[in-house]
């Protein structure tokens, strides 16, 4: 999608701080990190949000990539949080599906 921020990152028009890439996914550091590690994992295909995800393999790969990056950055044992924000009440601001991976501090519950 031409006017989508994360599609521009996938195409290379905008260059984020990439921490992982494969044939279907790109992961990069959030520009406004909410934790010492804050990574966004996005499908290369434009999917607006979780409501539009109908590919179980892709969903599984998003989650497994988050767990793999948590392990790689040393947070598998101490813990981490993964979040999909969906639409307005979910707090979604970029309408290209992305999984947040947050780690390196104690998270609180309930979330804000
Ligand atoms: P959402 O609120 O949609 O769940 O998350 C969107 C995330 O994208 C936010 O955490 C925000 O900080 C991040 N973000 C917005 N613009 C940019 C950008 O230009 N570069 C990067 N790396 N992250 C961005
Ligand atoms: Zn997009």
């Amino acid at each position: 999608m031409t006017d989508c921020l994360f599609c521009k990152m996938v195409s290379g028009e905008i260059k984020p701080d990439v921490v992982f890439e494969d044939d279907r996914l790109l992961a990069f550091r959030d520009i406004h990190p909410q934790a010492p590690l804050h990574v966004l994992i996005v499908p290369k295909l434009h999917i607006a949000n979780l409501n539009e995800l109908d590919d179980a393999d892709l969903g599984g790969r998003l989650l497994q990539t988050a767990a793999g990056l948590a392990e790689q950055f040393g947070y598998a044992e101490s813990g981490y949080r993964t979040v999909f924000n969906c639409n307005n009440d979910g707090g979604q601001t970029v309408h290209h599906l992305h999984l947040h991976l947050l780690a390196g501090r104690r998270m609180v519950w309930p979330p804000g």
Side-chain angles (χ1 to χ4, degrees), residues 15-54:
K15 298 200 185 311
D17 184 356
V18 172
V19 297
F20 173 84
E21 182 171 12
D22 69 9
D23 58 323
R24 302 196 74 187
L25 302 177
L26 184 70
F28 51 87
R29 292 183 191 273
D30 196 294
I31 202 165
H32 296 302
Q34 301 301 313
L37 179 69
H38 187 173
V39 166
L40 304 173
I41 306 160
V42 312
K44 289 186 171 179
L45 186 71
H46 181 88
I47 298 168
N49 59 44
L50 198 54
N51 293 335
E52 307 298 322
L53 178 64
D54 62 0

Side-chain angles (χ1 to χ4, degrees), residues 43 46-54 84-88 92 94-98:
H46 181 88
I47 298 168
N49 59 44
L50 198 54
N51 293 335
E52 307 298 322
L53 178 64
D54 62 0
F84 286 106
N85 293 327
C86 183
N87 282 336
N88 284 346
Q92 186 177 10
V94 178
H95 294 276
H96 178 132
L97 182 66
H98 51 281

Side-chain angles (χ1 to χ4, degrees), residues 5-18:
L5 177 65
F6 290 171
C7 282
K8 288 178 180 168
M9 293 181 177
V10 170
S11 72
E13 186 179 338
I14 296 173
K15 298 200 185 311
D17 184 356
V18 172

